């Protein structure tokens, strides 16, 4: 593979600097979206314009996710339908990037069954994109780089989707090997970015007017474990909190086994750190948690919640839950409903278990039917709706500081935004306020959002 800079030079010469329009679509988590922004940055560097319309594109990159089968099926459906697009425009280049490419059986399936695909860009190969495009233009039937580097680059250009909210990956990979999860296999082991690089990036973003910084990692609590004791995640939070400027710091995800007292202290001490914690529990049954290799029990999880709520009884928590893990019994499921009722999450992200080949759980027997799993999911969502419609009422009468992030749907003249607690807040307001912090006095609560009016200054 050519060095990126050489490939860029030769590509520019080949294209006369105008290779056309690129359409990049990301399917996965926020880290995947952040990678998508880097893909756009690299493409723009080599002269591509960007489009939101795949029909006018000269290059299409699908930035994929492998976490559940449904995500993969969606991508294969879309790649299948792109055959027609390519028949209409034979010069169209189609590339697959992201986590799906890191599974050898998927890479093989692409090679075998999807000849319309020209490029396979592995999760560590965004910088190889110019080289891969060059290989394709020089006649390769499939240009692919699915190698694993460890030297994630600090210098990849990035086209950010928002001018006021930015994601900043602080680490890559995962060491936890939860038995259901494909991420450690497709993203490799944990690698922390240098703290000075993260701080410089956040400083630059805040200098450009960014108001929300979302720190990303599969388990931010183990940030720094590979940096020889130089820094911990709570210490990083404190350093970022000390930067000049009016902005809010969020982070995700936080593995409950590593949610330390030091972390809780930092959240309460640091004014700029959001008063919200996403603490994925996955199940309320200690037996299921053991079989998931989560390395905490339901009791230990509740102990962490108690420590937080002792300091602030209304503290906002959200979580991820898996329904229908192999051989989850009715009692296990009831324990999950109990934990939802006990913790009173403001929001949950719930998923029906999806078997991922290569993971330990894929080998576990499972006698629960898909119908029963769907029934449990419906029940879980209904319990959560009850909990949140009651729990959201605690905000009525309070004034919340909200980062306005867009127009509210179906409400002419209204804006929507997120409070520090990660609650959706809708209020009447002018579009010019989008991207700014606004104080909103809360007057109403639904089970997914609160409503209010801008507070007098
Ligand atoms: N690292 C994060 C953590 O541990 O909380 C999670 C990252 S994962 C991309 C996001 C969520 O997807 C997980 O918390 C889990 O609930 C869900 N998930 C992961 N593997 C899954 C599977 N095989 N089936 C269903 N949901 C899954
Ligand atoms: Fe997956 Fe567990 Fe790692 Fe999260 S911590 S990415 S769920 S293996
Ligand atoms: Fe994210 Fe999906 Fe990969 S959740 S890390 S894009 S498998």
């Amino acid at each position: 593979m050519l060095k990126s800079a050489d490939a860029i030079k030769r590509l520019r010469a080949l294209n006369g600097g105008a290779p056309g329009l690129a359409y990049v679509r990301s399917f996965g988590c926020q880290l995947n979206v952040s990678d998508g922004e880097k893909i756009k940055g690299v493409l723009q560097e080599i002269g591509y314009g960007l489009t939101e319309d795949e029909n006018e594109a000269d290059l299409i990159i699908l930035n994929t996710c492998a976490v559940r089968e449904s995500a993969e099926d969606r991508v294969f459906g879309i790649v299948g339908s792109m055959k027609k697009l390519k028949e209409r425009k034979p010069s169209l280049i189609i590339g697959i990037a992201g986590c799906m490419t890191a599974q050898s059986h998927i890479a093989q399936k692409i090679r075998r069954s999807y000849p319309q695909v020209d490029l396979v860009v592995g999760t560590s190969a965004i910088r190889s994109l110019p080289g891969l495009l060059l290989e394709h233009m020089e006649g390769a039937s499939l240009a692919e780089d699915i190698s694993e580097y460890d030297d994630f680059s600090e210098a990849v250009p990035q086209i950010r989707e928002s001018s006021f909210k930015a994601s900043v990956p602080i680490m890559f990979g995962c060491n936890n090997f939860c038995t259901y999860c494909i991420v450690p296999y497709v993203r490799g082991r944990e690698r922390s970015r240098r703290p000075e690089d993260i701080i410089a990036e956040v400083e630059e973003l805040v200098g450009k007017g960014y108001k929300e910084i979302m720190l990303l990692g599969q388990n931010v609590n183990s940030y720094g474990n590979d940096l020889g004791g130089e820094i911990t995640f709570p210490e990083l939070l404190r350093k970022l909190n000390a930067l000049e400027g009016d902005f809010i710091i969020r982070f995700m995800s936080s593995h409950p086994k590593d949610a330390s007292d030091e972390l809780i202290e930092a959240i309460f001490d640091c004014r700029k750190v959001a008063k919200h914690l996403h603490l994925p529990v996955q199940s309320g049954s200690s037996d299921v948690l053991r079989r998931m290799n989560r390395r905490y029990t339901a009791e230990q999880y509740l102990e962490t919640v108690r420590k937080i709520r002792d300091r602030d009884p209304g503290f906002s928590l959200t979580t991820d839950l898996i329904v229908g893990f192999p051989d989850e019994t009715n009692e296990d499921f009831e324990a999950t409903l109990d934990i939802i009722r006990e913790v009173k999450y403001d929001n949950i992200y719930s998923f029906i278990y999806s078997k991922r080949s290569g993971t330990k759980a894929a080998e576990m027997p499972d006698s629960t039917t898909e119908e029963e799993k769907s029934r449990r999911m419906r029940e879980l969502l209904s319990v959560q709706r009850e909990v949140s419609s009651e729990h959201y009422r605690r905000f009525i009468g309070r004034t919340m500081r909200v980062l306005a992030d867009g127009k509210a749907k179906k409400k002419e003249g209204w804006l929507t935004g997120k409070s520090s607690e990660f609650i959706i807040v809708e209020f009447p307001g002018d579009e010019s306020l989008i991207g700014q912090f606004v104080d909103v006095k809360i007057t109403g609560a639904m089970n997914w959002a609160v409503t209010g009016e801008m507070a007098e200054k």
Side-chain angles (χ1 to χ4, degrees), residues 138-165:
E138 290 177 344
S141 62
L142 180 68
E144 110 182 320
D145 182 354
I146 47 176
S147 57
E148 274 183 39
Y149 321 134
D150 263 352
D151 61 335
F152 46 86
S153 168
E154 290 302 332
V156 179
Q158 189 165 357
I159 308 284
R160 294 188 180 271
E161 280 171 15
S162 164
S163 56
F164 54 91
K165 294 199 292 189

Side-chain angles (χ1 to χ4, degrees), residues 67-68 180-181 183 218-219 253 255 280 282 294 320-322 351-354 356:
V67 84
R68 282 171 288 276
Y180 50 82
C181 185
V183 171
Q218 294 301 345
N219 176 15
S253 280
H255 196 305
Q282 312 299 354
R294 289 292 286 178
D320 290 352
L321 286 160
I322 294 180
F351 312 97
I352 292 186
Y353 167 73
S354 170
R356 304 287 57 215

Side-chain angles (χ1 to χ4, degrees), residues 85-144:
L85 225 55
K86 193 139 180 171
E87 277 163 11
R88 254 189 282 143
K89 189 192 231 178
S91 63
L92 172 67
I93 304 171
I94 298 178
I96 310 278
C99 293
M100 275 171 73
T101 64
Q103 293 169 284
S104 55
H105 68 282
I106 298 276
Q108 236 173 40
K109 182 169 167 180
I110 295 171
R111 273 182 227 118
R112 218 181 296 130
S113 316
Y114 296 88
Q116 63 269 43
V117 174
D118 304 295
L119 317 172
V120 175
V121 189
T123 48
S124 299
I126 295 175
R127 275 176 311 146
S128 307
L129 203 44
L132 291 172
L133 279 162
L134 192 63
E135 261 183 54
H136 166 76
M137 288 173 185
E138 290 177 344
S141 62
L142 180 68
E144 110 182 320

Side-chain angles (χ1 to χ4, degrees), residues 250-293:
R250 299 190 184 279
F251 57 86
M252 71 186 300
S253 280
S254 188
H255 196 305
K257 78 176 165 56
D258 302 316
S260 60
D261 294 350
E262 201 193 350
L263 175 76
I264 298 171
E265 287 299 317
I267 294 172
F268 283 100
D269 285 353
C270 295
R271 201 174 52 79
K272 290 174 184 155
V273 173
K275 301 302 172 252
H276 157 243
L277 185 62
H278 183 64
L279 200 60
V281 67
Q282 312 299 354
S283 169
S285 152
S286 293
D287 185 50
V288 171
L289 289 171
R290 184 183 50 75
R291 293 193 297 115
M292 286 177 163
N293 190 32

